mmCIF file of all heavy atoms in Angstrom:
data_model
loop_
_atom_site.group_PDB
_atom_site.id
_atom_site.type_symbol
_atom_site.label_atom_id
_atom_site.label_comp_id
_atom_site.label_asym_id
_atom_site.label_seq_id
_atom_site.Cartn_x
_atom_site.Cartn_y
_atom_site.Cartn_z
ATOM 1 N N ASP A 1123 -14.494 145.185 218.704
ATOM 2 C CA ASP A 1123 -15.870 145.009 218.283
ATOM 3 C C ASP A 1123 -16.206 145.980 217.156
ATOM 4 O O ASP A 1123 -15.758 147.145 217.162
ATOM 5 C CB ASP A 1123 -16.834 145.288 219.440
ATOM 6 C CG ASP A 1123 -16.585 144.372 220.632
ATOM 7 O OD1 ASP A 1123 -16.115 143.255 220.430
ATOM 8 O OD2 ASP A 1123 -16.889 144.805 221.769
ATOM 9 N N MET A 1124 -17.032 145.503 216.244
ATOM 10 C CA MET A 1124 -17.595 146.329 215.168
ATOM 11 C C MET A 1124 -19.117 146.229 215.309
ATOM 12 O O MET A 1124 -19.659 145.127 215.459
ATOM 13 C CB MET A 1124 -17.200 145.799 213.787
ATOM 14 C CG MET A 1124 -15.706 145.834 213.528
ATOM 15 S SD MET A 1124 -15.289 145.328 211.837
ATOM 16 C CE MET A 1124 -15.422 143.559 211.984
ATOM 17 N N VAL A 1125 -19.790 147.376 215.224
ATOM 18 C CA VAL A 1125 -21.242 147.401 215.264
ATOM 19 C C VAL A 1125 -21.690 148.008 213.942
ATOM 20 O O VAL A 1125 -21.356 149.164 213.655
ATOM 21 C CB VAL A 1125 -21.771 148.247 216.461
ATOM 22 C CG1 VAL A 1125 -23.301 148.185 216.498
ATOM 23 C CG2 VAL A 1125 -21.178 147.751 217.766
ATOM 24 N N LEU A 1126 -22.386 147.230 213.125
ATOM 25 C CA LEU A 1126 -22.717 147.622 211.764
ATOM 26 C C LEU A 1126 -24.227 147.780 211.638
ATOM 27 O O LEU A 1126 -24.992 146.884 211.952
ATOM 28 C CB LEU A 1126 -22.192 146.559 210.816
ATOM 29 C CG LEU A 1126 -22.304 146.787 209.323
ATOM 30 C CD1 LEU A 1126 -21.504 148.006 208.908
ATOM 31 C CD2 LEU A 1126 -21.823 145.573 208.581
ATOM 32 N N ASN A 1127 -24.639 148.942 211.141
ATOM 33 C CA ASN A 1127 -26.045 149.279 210.952
ATOM 34 C C ASN A 1127 -26.500 148.832 209.572
ATOM 35 O O ASN A 1127 -26.185 149.451 208.557
ATOM 36 C CB ASN A 1127 -26.221 150.793 211.117
ATOM 37 C CG ASN A 1127 -27.660 151.238 211.028
ATOM 38 O OD1 ASN A 1127 -28.530 150.543 210.546
ATOM 39 N ND2 ASN A 1127 -27.899 152.463 211.476
ATOM 40 N N MET A 1128 -27.289 147.744 209.525
ATOM 41 C CA MET A 1128 -27.731 147.173 208.250
ATOM 42 C C MET A 1128 -28.744 148.082 207.546
ATOM 43 O O MET A 1128 -28.839 148.041 206.332
ATOM 44 C CB MET A 1128 -28.273 145.773 208.468
ATOM 45 C CG MET A 1128 -27.238 144.766 208.962
ATOM 46 S SD MET A 1128 -25.773 144.641 207.900
ATOM 47 C CE MET A 1128 -26.490 143.798 206.468
ATOM 48 N N GLN A 1129 -29.492 148.899 208.281
ATOM 49 C CA GLN A 1129 -30.383 149.865 207.640
ATOM 50 C C GLN A 1129 -29.542 150.858 206.820
ATOM 51 O O GLN A 1129 -29.929 151.230 205.706
ATOM 52 C CB GLN A 1129 -31.227 150.630 208.660
ATOM 53 C CG GLN A 1129 -32.399 149.853 209.181
ATOM 54 C CD GLN A 1129 -33.190 150.679 210.163
ATOM 55 O OE1 GLN A 1129 -32.879 150.633 211.350
ATOM 56 N NE2 GLN A 1129 -34.186 151.383 209.696
ATOM 57 N N ARG A 1130 -28.441 151.293 207.364
ATOM 58 C CA ARG A 1130 -27.591 152.254 206.678
ATOM 59 C C ARG A 1130 -26.858 151.591 205.484
ATOM 60 O O ARG A 1130 -26.584 152.259 204.494
ATOM 61 C CB ARG A 1130 -26.561 152.869 207.629
ATOM 62 C CG ARG A 1130 -27.172 153.733 208.701
ATOM 63 C CD ARG A 1130 -27.719 155.034 208.117
ATOM 64 N NE ARG A 1130 -28.447 155.807 209.117
ATOM 65 C CZ ARG A 1130 -27.950 156.841 209.764
ATOM 66 N NH1 ARG A 1130 -26.733 157.273 209.500
ATOM 67 N NH2 ARG A 1130 -28.669 157.463 210.670
ATOM 68 N N VAL A 1131 -26.569 150.308 205.580
ATOM 69 C CA VAL A 1131 -25.993 149.602 204.431
ATOM 70 C C VAL A 1131 -26.899 149.765 203.235
ATOM 71 O O VAL A 1131 -26.482 150.153 202.149
ATOM 72 C CB VAL A 1131 -25.749 148.093 204.742
ATOM 73 C CG1 VAL A 1131 -25.456 147.324 203.471
ATOM 74 C CG2 VAL A 1131 -24.613 147.954 205.749
ATOM 75 N N LYS A 1132 -28.183 149.484 203.441
ATOM 76 C CA LYS A 1132 -29.160 149.583 202.342
ATOM 77 C C LYS A 1132 -29.325 151.037 201.865
ATOM 78 O O LYS A 1132 -29.278 151.317 200.691
ATOM 79 C CB LYS A 1132 -30.506 149.013 202.784
ATOM 80 C CG LYS A 1132 -30.475 147.512 202.967
ATOM 81 C CD LYS A 1132 -31.827 147.018 203.469
ATOM 82 C CE LYS A 1132 -31.901 145.514 203.392
ATOM 83 N NZ LYS A 1132 -31.820 144.990 202.038
ATOM 84 N N GLN A 1133 -29.509 151.954 202.815
ATOM 85 C CA GLN A 1133 -29.746 153.348 202.466
ATOM 86 C C GLN A 1133 -28.522 153.981 201.760
ATOM 87 O O GLN A 1133 -28.667 154.639 200.725
ATOM 88 C CB GLN A 1133 -30.021 154.159 203.751
ATOM 89 C CG GLN A 1133 -30.178 155.644 203.514
ATOM 90 C CD GLN A 1133 -30.243 156.402 204.847
ATOM 91 O OE1 GLN A 1133 -30.578 155.848 205.897
ATOM 92 N NE2 GLN A 1133 -29.912 157.674 204.780
ATOM 93 N N GLN A 1134 -27.332 153.748 202.291
ATOM 94 C CA GLN A 1134 -26.142 154.339 201.691
ATOM 95 C C GLN A 1134 -25.802 153.734 200.339
ATOM 96 O O GLN A 1134 -25.303 154.408 199.464
ATOM 97 C CB GLN A 1134 -24.960 154.281 202.677
ATOM 98 C CG GLN A 1134 -25.177 155.212 203.860
ATOM 99 C CD GLN A 1134 -24.129 155.174 204.949
ATOM 100 O OE1 GLN A 1134 -24.275 155.872 205.933
ATOM 101 N NE2 GLN A 1134 -23.111 154.352 204.822
ATOM 102 N N ALA A 1135 -26.103 152.446 200.163
ATOM 103 C CA ALA A 1135 -25.890 151.833 198.846
ATOM 104 C C ALA A 1135 -26.754 152.550 197.818
ATOM 105 O O ALA A 1135 -26.288 152.887 196.736
ATOM 106 C CB ALA A 1135 -26.232 150.331 198.913
ATOM 107 N N ARG A 1136 -28.025 152.812 198.161
ATOM 108 C CA ARG A 1136 -28.896 153.565 197.260
ATOM 109 C C ARG A 1136 -28.374 154.976 197.059
ATOM 110 O O ARG A 1136 -28.275 155.451 195.913
ATOM 111 C CB ARG A 1136 -30.320 153.625 197.812
ATOM 112 C CG ARG A 1136 -31.124 152.366 197.631
ATOM 113 C CD ARG A 1136 -32.609 152.592 197.993
ATOM 114 N NE ARG A 1136 -32.816 153.140 199.311
ATOM 115 C CZ ARG A 1136 -32.931 152.440 200.438
ATOM 116 N NH1 ARG A 1136 -32.885 151.120 200.377
ATOM 117 N NH2 ARG A 1136 -33.126 153.054 201.587
ATOM 118 N N ASP A 1137 -28.041 155.658 198.138
ATOM 119 C CA ASP A 1137 -27.584 157.042 198.073
ATOM 120 C C ASP A 1137 -26.326 157.227 197.236
ATOM 121 O O ASP A 1137 -26.166 158.185 196.518
ATOM 122 C CB ASP A 1137 -27.337 157.612 199.467
ATOM 123 C CG ASP A 1137 -28.590 157.782 200.310
ATOM 124 O OD1 ASP A 1137 -29.712 157.652 199.743
ATOM 125 O OD2 ASP A 1137 -28.459 158.024 201.523
ATOM 126 N N TYR A 1138 -25.403 156.259 197.359
ATOM 127 C CA TYR A 1138 -24.114 156.359 196.659
ATOM 128 C C TYR A 1138 -24.121 155.643 195.305
ATOM 129 O O TYR A 1138 -23.116 155.699 194.585
ATOM 130 C CB TYR A 1138 -22.987 155.822 197.509
ATOM 131 C CG TYR A 1138 -22.818 156.574 198.830
ATOM 132 C CD1 TYR A 1138 -22.589 155.880 200.016
ATOM 133 C CD2 TYR A 1138 -22.888 157.954 198.881
ATOM 134 C CE1 TYR A 1138 -22.425 156.573 201.213
ATOM 135 C CE2 TYR A 1138 -22.719 158.633 200.095
ATOM 136 C CZ TYR A 1138 -22.501 157.949 201.237
ATOM 137 O OH TYR A 1138 -22.337 158.607 202.425
ATOM 138 N N GLY A 1139 -25.210 154.997 194.963
ATOM 139 C CA GLY A 1139 -25.336 154.367 193.644
ATOM 140 C C GLY A 1139 -24.474 153.128 193.455
ATOM 141 O O GLY A 1139 -23.996 152.866 192.340
ATOM 142 N N HIS A 1140 -24.286 152.367 194.514
ATOM 143 C CA HIS A 1140 -23.587 151.100 194.360
ATOM 144 C C HIS A 1140 -24.354 149.994 195.105
ATOM 145 O O HIS A 1140 -25.396 150.267 195.712
ATOM 146 C CB HIS A 1140 -22.116 151.175 194.777
ATOM 147 C CG HIS A 1140 -21.884 151.697 196.159
ATOM 148 N ND1 HIS A 1140 -21.223 152.861 196.405
ATOM 149 C CD2 HIS A 1140 -22.211 151.204 197.385
ATOM 150 C CE1 HIS A 1140 -21.148 153.072 197.704
ATOM 151 N NE2 HIS A 1140 -21.740 152.100 198.302
ATOM 152 N N SER A 1141 -23.851 148.804 195.081
ATOM 153 C CA SER A 1141 -24.565 147.669 195.640
ATOM 154 C C SER A 1141 -24.503 147.615 197.162
ATOM 155 O O SER A 1141 -23.605 148.215 197.779
ATOM 156 C CB SER A 1141 -24.009 146.367 195.080
ATOM 157 O OG SER A 1141 -22.715 146.145 195.597
ATOM 158 N N GLU A 1142 -25.430 146.891 197.739
ATOM 159 C CA GLU A 1142 -25.396 146.646 199.176
ATOM 160 C C GLU A 1142 -24.134 145.888 199.555
ATOM 161 O O GLU A 1142 -23.557 146.121 200.617
ATOM 162 C CB GLU A 1142 -26.641 145.895 199.617
ATOM 163 C CG GLU A 1142 -27.908 146.734 199.486
ATOM 164 C CD GLU A 1142 -29.190 145.960 199.786
ATOM 165 O OE1 GLU A 1142 -29.126 144.796 200.224
ATOM 166 O OE2 GLU A 1142 -30.266 146.543 199.532
ATOM 167 N N LEU A 1143 -23.704 144.973 198.700
ATOM 168 C CA LEU A 1143 -22.462 144.235 198.946
ATOM 169 C C LEU A 1143 -21.289 145.192 199.086
ATOM 170 O O LEU A 1143 -20.483 145.077 200.012
ATOM 171 C CB LEU A 1143 -22.197 143.247 197.803
ATOM 172 C CG LEU A 1143 -20.824 142.593 197.815
ATOM 173 C CD1 LEU A 1143 -20.621 141.709 199.023
ATOM 174 C CD2 LEU A 1143 -20.617 141.801 196.520
ATOM 175 N N ARG A 1144 -21.190 146.141 198.183
ATOM 176 C CA ARG A 1144 -20.076 147.105 198.225
ATOM 177 C C ARG A 1144 -20.133 147.940 199.511
ATOM 178 O O ARG A 1144 -19.133 148.146 200.165
ATOM 179 C CB ARG A 1144 -20.119 148.001 196.984
ATOM 180 C CG ARG A 1144 -18.801 148.702 196.699
ATOM 181 C CD ARG A 1144 -18.619 149.941 197.502
ATOM 182 N NE ARG A 1144 -17.343 150.591 197.202
ATOM 183 C CZ ARG A 1144 -16.921 151.604 197.919
ATOM 184 N NH1 ARG A 1144 -17.603 152.043 198.942
ATOM 185 N NH2 ARG A 1144 -15.786 152.166 197.631
ATOM 186 N N GLU A 1145 -21.310 148.403 199.894
ATOM 187 C CA GLU A 1145 -21.433 149.235 201.084
ATOM 188 C C GLU A 1145 -21.102 148.411 202.347
ATOM 189 O O GLU A 1145 -20.403 148.873 203.247
ATOM 190 C CB GLU A 1145 -22.823 149.834 201.202
ATOM 191 C CG GLU A 1145 -22.954 150.838 202.307
ATOM 192 C CD GLU A 1145 -22.102 152.085 202.163
ATOM 193 O OE1 GLU A 1145 -21.658 152.401 201.037
ATOM 194 O OE2 GLU A 1145 -21.871 152.757 203.190
ATOM 195 N N TYR A 1146 -21.608 147.206 202.412
ATOM 196 C CA TYR A 1146 -21.335 146.295 203.544
ATOM 197 C C TYR A 1146 -19.834 146.057 203.675
ATOM 198 O O TYR A 1146 -19.253 146.200 204.745
ATOM 199 C CB TYR A 1146 -22.110 145.001 203.306
ATOM 200 C CG TYR A 1146 -21.957 143.919 204.343
ATOM 201 C CD1 TYR A 1146 -22.643 144.006 205.552
ATOM 202 C CD2 TYR A 1146 -21.198 142.785 204.088
ATOM 203 C CE1 TYR A 1146 -22.555 142.985 206.493
ATOM 204 C CE2 TYR A 1146 -21.085 141.775 205.019
ATOM 205 C CZ TYR A 1146 -21.777 141.873 206.223
ATOM 206 O OH TYR A 1146 -21.664 140.858 207.141
ATOM 207 N N ALA A 1147 -19.200 145.695 202.562
ATOM 208 C CA ALA A 1147 -17.752 145.432 202.562
ATOM 209 C C ALA A 1147 -16.973 146.686 202.948
ATOM 210 O O ALA A 1147 -16.030 146.628 203.750
ATOM 211 C CB ALA A 1147 -17.309 144.916 201.220
ATOM 212 N N PHE A 1148 -17.374 147.845 202.406
ATOM 213 C CA PHE A 1148 -16.710 149.092 202.723
ATOM 214 C C PHE A 1148 -16.752 149.386 204.219
ATOM 215 O O PHE A 1148 -15.746 149.743 204.841
ATOM 216 C CB PHE A 1148 -17.318 150.269 201.945
ATOM 217 C CG PHE A 1148 -16.820 151.602 202.443
ATOM 218 C CD1 PHE A 1148 -15.596 152.085 202.018
ATOM 219 C CD2 PHE A 1148 -17.563 152.350 203.327
ATOM 220 C CE1 PHE A 1148 -15.120 153.295 202.506
ATOM 221 C CE2 PHE A 1148 -17.109 153.557 203.816
ATOM 222 C CZ PHE A 1148 -15.860 154.036 203.382
ATOM 223 N N LEU A 1149 -17.931 149.225 204.830
ATOM 224 C CA LEU A 1149 -18.062 149.533 206.245
ATOM 225 C C LEU A 1149 -17.254 148.565 207.123
ATOM 226 O O LEU A 1149 -16.687 148.958 208.143
ATOM 227 C CB LEU A 1149 -19.533 149.565 206.656
ATOM 228 C CG LEU A 1149 -20.346 150.707 206.071
ATOM 229 C CD1 LEU A 1149 -21.817 150.561 206.434
ATOM 230 C CD2 LEU A 1149 -19.808 152.059 206.511
ATOM 231 N N ILE A 1150 -17.149 147.316 206.697
ATOM 232 C CA ILE A 1150 -16.333 146.365 207.435
ATOM 233 C C ILE A 1150 -14.861 146.736 207.306
ATOM 234 O O ILE A 1150 -14.117 146.748 208.300
ATOM 235 C CB ILE A 1150 -16.597 144.924 206.987
ATOM 236 C CG1 ILE A 1150 -17.998 144.490 207.439
ATOM 237 C CG2 ILE A 1150 -15.543 143.963 207.541
ATOM 238 C CD1 ILE A 1150 -18.453 143.153 206.924
ATOM 239 N N VAL A 1151 -14.411 147.066 206.092
ATOM 240 C CA VAL A 1151 -13.005 147.488 205.917
ATOM 241 C C VAL A 1151 -12.734 148.730 206.758
ATOM 242 O O VAL A 1151 -11.731 148.808 207.464
ATOM 243 C CB VAL A 1151 -12.685 147.761 204.436
ATOM 244 C CG1 VAL A 1151 -11.339 148.424 204.277
ATOM 245 C CG2 VAL A 1151 -12.743 146.472 203.615
ATOM 246 N N HIS A 1152 -13.631 149.687 206.700
ATOM 247 C CA HIS A 1152 -13.466 150.936 207.471
ATOM 248 C C HIS A 1152 -13.314 150.630 208.960
ATOM 249 O O HIS A 1152 -12.406 151.115 209.625
ATOM 250 C CB HIS A 1152 -14.689 151.838 207.219
ATOM 251 C CG HIS A 1152 -14.600 153.154 207.890
ATOM 252 N ND1 HIS A 1152 -13.974 154.233 207.320
ATOM 253 C CD2 HIS A 1152 -15.045 153.576 209.106
ATOM 254 C CE1 HIS A 1152 -14.041 155.272 208.142
ATOM 255 N NE2 HIS A 1152 -14.703 154.890 209.247
ATOM 256 N N SER A 1153 -14.203 149.780 209.466
ATOM 257 C CA SER A 1153 -14.162 149.423 210.881
ATOM 258 C C SER A 1153 -12.900 148.629 211.214
ATOM 259 O O SER A 1153 -12.272 148.860 212.248
ATOM 260 C CB SER A 1153 -15.416 148.627 211.240
ATOM 261 O OG SER A 1153 -15.516 148.468 212.635
ATOM 262 N N MET A 1154 -12.520 147.688 210.352
ATOM 263 C CA MET A 1154 -11.295 146.918 210.582
ATOM 264 C C MET A 1154 -10.091 147.832 210.685
ATOM 265 O O MET A 1154 -9.212 147.616 211.538
ATOM 266 C CB MET A 1154 -11.097 145.896 209.450
ATOM 267 C CG MET A 1154 -11.937 144.655 209.570
ATOM 268 S SD MET A 1154 -11.604 143.701 211.055
ATOM 269 C CE MET A 1154 -9.861 143.294 210.812
ATOM 270 N N LEU A 1155 -10.013 148.834 209.829
ATOM 271 C CA LEU A 1155 -8.880 149.737 209.873
ATOM 272 C C LEU A 1155 -8.852 150.490 211.199
ATOM 273 O O LEU A 1155 -7.767 150.729 211.760
ATOM 274 C CB LEU A 1155 -8.881 150.672 208.672
ATOM 275 C CG LEU A 1155 -8.551 150.000 207.341
ATOM 276 C CD1 LEU A 1155 -8.709 150.962 206.195
ATOM 277 C CD2 LEU A 1155 -7.145 149.381 207.350
ATOM 278 N N HIS A 1156 -10.020 150.860 211.711
ATOM 279 C CA HIS A 1156 -10.050 151.463 213.057
ATOM 280 C C HIS A 1156 -9.512 150.473 214.100
ATOM 281 O O HIS A 1156 -8.757 150.865 214.985
ATOM 282 C CB HIS A 1156 -11.479 151.882 213.443
ATOM 283 C CG HIS A 1156 -11.912 153.167 212.858
ATOM 284 N ND1 HIS A 1156 -11.213 154.344 213.007
ATOM 285 C CD2 HIS A 1156 -13.017 153.490 212.134
ATOM 286 C CE1 HIS A 1156 -11.853 155.347 212.409
ATOM 287 N NE2 HIS A 1156 -12.951 154.839 211.859
ATOM 288 N N LEU A 1157 -9.886 149.205 213.983
ATOM 289 C CA LEU A 1157 -9.405 148.202 214.932
ATOM 290 C C LEU A 1157 -7.894 147.994 214.821
ATOM 291 O O LEU A 1157 -7.258 147.494 215.744
ATOM 292 C CB LEU A 1157 -10.108 146.853 214.739
ATOM 293 C CG LEU A 1157 -11.611 146.820 214.970
ATOM 294 C CD1 LEU A 1157 -12.128 145.396 214.878
ATOM 295 C CD2 LEU A 1157 -12.025 147.462 216.295
ATOM 296 N N LEU A 1158 -7.313 148.407 213.688
ATOM 297 C CA LEU A 1158 -5.866 148.291 213.456
ATOM 298 C C LEU A 1158 -5.128 149.601 213.663
ATOM 299 O O LEU A 1158 -3.978 149.730 213.291
ATOM 300 C CB LEU A 1158 -5.612 147.730 212.046
ATOM 301 C CG LEU A 1158 -6.171 146.329 211.808
ATOM 302 C CD1 LEU A 1158 -6.046 145.929 210.345
ATOM 303 C CD2 LEU A 1158 -5.496 145.289 212.724
ATOM 304 N N GLY A 1159 -5.819 150.576 214.258
ATOM 305 C CA GLY A 1159 -5.161 151.813 214.662
ATOM 306 C C GLY A 1159 -5.326 153.003 213.768
ATOM 307 O O GLY A 1159 -4.805 154.087 214.044
ATOM 308 N N TYR A 1160 -6.049 152.854 212.657
ATOM 309 C CA TYR A 1160 -6.243 153.977 211.735
ATOM 310 C C TYR A 1160 -7.352 154.868 212.243
ATOM 311 O O TYR A 1160 -8.261 154.436 212.948
ATOM 312 C CB TYR A 1160 -6.607 153.473 210.338
ATOM 313 C CG TYR A 1160 -5.455 152.785 209.614
ATOM 314 C CD1 TYR A 1160 -5.211 151.441 209.828
ATOM 315 C CD2 TYR A 1160 -4.651 153.507 208.739
ATOM 316 C CE1 TYR A 1160 -4.160 150.819 209.184
ATOM 317 C CE2 TYR A 1160 -3.598 152.870 208.083
ATOM 318 C CZ TYR A 1160 -3.365 151.531 208.297
ATOM 319 O OH TYR A 1160 -2.314 150.910 207.672
ATOM 320 N N ASP A 1161 -7.285 156.143 211.839
ATOM 321 C CA ASP A 1161 -8.334 157.096 212.193
ATOM 322 C C ASP A 1161 -8.446 158.133 211.076
ATOM 323 O O ASP A 1161 -7.603 158.157 210.174
ATOM 324 C CB ASP A 1161 -8.079 157.752 213.534
ATOM 325 C CG ASP A 1161 -9.367 158.091 214.259
ATOM 326 O OD1 ASP A 1161 -10.401 158.291 213.573
ATOM 327 O OD2 ASP A 1161 -9.349 158.184 215.499
ATOM 328 N N HIS A 1162 -9.446 158.974 211.141
ATOM 329 C CA HIS A 1162 -9.665 159.962 210.097
ATOM 330 C C HIS A 1162 -10.002 161.321 210.671
ATOM 331 O O HIS A 1162 -10.662 162.133 210.020
ATOM 332 C CB HIS A 1162 -10.763 159.494 209.109
ATOM 333 C CG HIS A 1162 -11.976 158.950 209.767
ATOM 334 N ND1 HIS A 1162 -12.965 159.731 210.304
ATOM 335 C CD2 HIS A 1162 -12.341 157.662 209.968
ATOM 336 C CE1 HIS A 1162 -13.922 158.970 210.815
ATOM 337 N NE2 HIS A 1162 -13.573 157.695 210.631
ATOM 338 N N ILE A 1163 -9.502 161.604 211.874
ATOM 339 C CA ILE A 1163 -9.756 162.911 212.480
ATOM 340 C C ILE A 1163 -8.907 163.990 211.791
ATOM 341 O O ILE A 1163 -9.409 165.025 211.414
ATOM 342 C CB ILE A 1163 -9.481 162.858 214.002
ATOM 343 C CG1 ILE A 1163 -10.483 161.914 214.655
ATOM 344 C CG2 ILE A 1163 -9.557 164.268 214.592
ATOM 345 C CD1 ILE A 1163 -10.214 161.621 216.096
ATOM 346 N N GLU A 1164 -7.611 163.733 211.654
ATOM 347 C CA GLU A 1164 -6.719 164.670 210.973
ATOM 348 C C GLU A 1164 -6.749 164.389 209.477
ATOM 349 O O GLU A 1164 -6.864 163.246 209.040
ATOM 350 C CB GLU A 1164 -5.278 164.524 211.487
ATOM 351 C CG GLU A 1164 -5.153 164.767 212.997
ATOM 352 C CD GLU A 1164 -5.451 166.195 213.396
ATOM 353 O OE1 GLU A 1164 -5.183 167.128 212.599
ATOM 354 O OE2 GLU A 1164 -5.980 166.387 214.509
ATOM 355 N N GLU A 1165 -6.594 165.430 208.664
ATOM 356 C CA GLU A 1165 -6.685 165.299 207.214
ATOM 357 C C GLU A 1165 -5.696 164.292 206.648
ATOM 358 O O GLU A 1165 -6.052 163.477 205.797
ATOM 359 C CB GLU A 1165 -6.450 166.686 206.582
ATOM 360 C CG GLU A 1165 -6.753 166.692 205.090
ATOM 361 C CD GLU A 1165 -6.681 168.093 204.501
ATOM 362 O OE1 GLU A 1165 -7.112 169.062 205.189
ATOM 363 O OE2 GLU A 1165 -6.141 168.211 203.382
ATOM 364 N N GLN A 1166 -4.461 164.310 207.114
ATOM 365 C CA GLN A 1166 -3.453 163.377 206.563
ATOM 366 C C GLN A 1166 -3.761 161.943 206.984
ATOM 367 O O GLN A 1166 -3.551 161.006 206.219
ATOM 368 C CB GLN A 1166 -2.042 163.803 206.931
ATOM 369 C CG GLN A 1166 -1.346 163.066 208.025
ATOM 370 C CD GLN A 1166 0.008 163.643 208.335
ATOM 371 O OE1 GLN A 1166 0.182 164.852 208.434
ATOM 372 N NE2 GLN A 1166 0.980 162.783 208.522
ATOM 373 N N ASP A 1167 -4.296 161.753 208.189
ATOM 374 C CA ASP A 1167 -4.709 160.395 208.627
ATOM 375 C C ASP A 1167 -5.893 159.906 207.821
ATOM 376 O O ASP A 1167 -5.965 158.728 207.453
ATOM 377 C CB ASP A 1167 -5.055 160.401 210.123
ATOM 378 C CG ASP A 1167 -3.852 160.700 211.011
ATOM 379 O OD1 ASP A 1167 -2.709 160.472 210.567
ATOM 380 O OD2 ASP A 1167 -4.079 161.179 212.140
ATOM 381 N N ALA A 1168 -6.827 160.824 207.524
ATOM 382 C CA ALA A 1168 -7.993 160.459 206.720
ATOM 383 C C ALA A 1168 -7.560 160.027 205.336
ATOM 384 O O ALA A 1168 -8.069 159.020 204.791
ATOM 385 C CB ALA A 1168 -8.956 161.617 206.640
ATOM 386 N N ALA A 1169 -6.599 160.748 204.742
ATOM 387 C CA ALA A 1169 -6.116 160.385 203.421
ATOM 388 C C ALA A 1169 -5.451 159.013 203.418
ATOM 389 O O ALA A 1169 -5.677 158.209 202.493
ATOM 390 C CB ALA A 1169 -5.117 161.452 202.915
#
């Protein structure tokens, strides 16, 4: 399961200076990678 906060999509798109589409897609990719076993706790895993 992925739980995506649409308020943050809008806010982070503004904060980071890119589109809502880009933020939405980024968060889905990020979450999908977690579903496929990736994590970002350790520096090398985050990279």
Side-chain angles (χ1 to χ4, degrees):
D1123 301 332
M1124 298 184 281
V1125 183
L1126 186 62
N1127 183 343
M1128 296 305 289
Q1129 282 181 271
R1130 294 289 174 101
V1131 167
K1132 291 178 168 296
Q1133 176 189 338
Q1134 290 175 182
R1136 282 190 307 271
D1137 292 349
Y1138 299 137
H1140 54 245
S1141 70
E1142 292 174 8
L1143 169 65
R1144 198 277 180 189
E1145 188 64 20
Y1146 179 78
F1148 169 80
L1149 292 174
I1150 291 173
V1151 170
H1152 183 87
S1153 189
M1154 281 298 299
L1155 290 174
H1156 280 305
L1157 298 186
L1158 298 173
Y1160 290 85
D1161 212 333
H1162 46 79
I1163 295 171
E1164 301 295 327
E1165 189 174 320
Q1166 103 184 44
D1167 294 337

